[in-house]
Amino acid sequence: MKSPKFTVISLFPEMIQQMVAQGVVGQGLKHNIFELEVINPRDFTTDVHKTVDDRPYGGGDGMVLLCEPLELALKQVVGEDSRVIYLSPQGQLLDDDKVKELAESPHIVMICGRYGGIDQRIINLYVDEEVSIGNYVLSGGELAAGVVIDSVARFFPGVLGHQDSAHSDSFTNGFLEAPNFTRPQNYKGQGIPTALLSGNHKLIEEWREKVGQLVTLSKRPELMLNVDLTVESIRDLYLFWQGLSAQERDLLGLSGLSAEEFSLLLAAEEEL
Ligand code: ADE
């Protein structure tokens, strides 16, 4: 089967190349688990100055990327199975579901605008969807393209060490991850949760799952409502939390959690 491919259209190709060359995602690229193509609209200009932008009609701040170089670039790369994304704060917010959906796509083409954006007519003609990485404005789409590539590539088999670890990470089952610990066993008076020292993998897995749920309830309680929880599972979680010593709660960053959060969650679940 052909590897999935990202094509990024950007005036700053080195920015993309450098971001994607690092870490596990960089290794994935090196081992051809996916392909990356970066093209510069400036290479598609026909004037001596290699002009890629111009002032907006009607006035206003920033320069707008010209239609023609972008269209020529798009025509070179867009095929039958391409999904064309314009990175913009006006787009749909990128989240774990969107990332997984994009990971199913054989070819993602991303257009990076700069301050001032791109001509709307290119969006009308070529763009399948707009995607935003958050409710703030970046000076260009490059960092957003890097975020999309990094988050999507983690779902390609072989990019992460363990085949399924992207699927067991924070968010993917709806909950955040349990905290992690490594050597030394004692660091400035802080030990390791006893369950993690038990050597019992099944117990550790169950413990991590519960702790992940507690972390979610403590740090991002609104995420708890996206998951189907039964009244019994909330009571179970409460009992598990009660079974943790004060010291262990501190160690896990859970000292802010109180019985009240469980009551609120129960009330919210019963209302749903
Ligand atoms: N370009 C500028 N701001 C952006 C954002 N928040 N997300 C995606 N692309 C952008």
Side-chain angles (χ1 to χ4, degrees), residues 179-187 189-199 204 207-208 245 247-248 251-252:
N180 292 303
F181 300 87
T182 184
R183 288 184 304 166
Q185 194 167 328
N186 190 314
Y187 187 66
Q190 302 183 88
I192 303 290
T194 41
L196 297 179
L197 301 172
S198 69
I204 291 173
W207 182 90
R208 282 194 165 132
S245 67
Q247 204 182 9
E248 225 157 20
L251 186 58
L252 295 167

Side-chain angles (χ1 to χ4, degrees), residues 86-90 113 131-142 144-145:
Y86 173 45
L87 297 158
S88 140
Q90 298 187 5
V131 171
S132 166
I133 63 160
N135 292 329
Y136 40 80
V137 180
L138 302 166
S139 59
E142 284 76 11

Side-chain angles (χ1 to χ4, degrees), residues 31-32 94 97 116 133-134 171 177 183 191 195-196 221 226 247 256-257:
H31 294 114
N32 303 314
L94 187 71
D97 287 338
I133 63 160
F171 286 118
E177 241 191 331
R183 288 184 304 166
L196 297 179
N226 300 338
Q247 204 182 9
L257 205 55

Side-chain angles (χ1 to χ4, degrees), residues 17 26 44 48 53 74 124 137 141 162 179 184 211 213-214 216 224 260 270:
Q17 303 279 16
F44 296 84
V48 279
D53 55 7
L74 282 160
N124 301 344
V137 180
H162 300 284
V211 172
Q213 294 176 1
L214 292 177
T216 313
M224 298 298 280
E260 198 186 342
E270 277 164 356

Side-chain angles (χ1 to χ4, degrees), residues 139-150:
S139 59
E142 284 76 11
L143 289 169
V147 168
V148 171
I149 294 173
D150 192 283

Side-chain angles (χ1 to χ4, degrees), residues 4 6 83 96-106 108 148 151-157 167:
F6 297 102
R83 185 160 173 173
D96 192 55
D97 287 338
K98 187 78 193 167
V99 168
K100 277 189 261 179
E101 183 197 315
L102 293 176
E104 300 298 317
S105 194
I108 295 175
V148 171
S151 55
V152 170
R154 294 175 72 258
F155 282 94
F156 297 154
H167 291 275

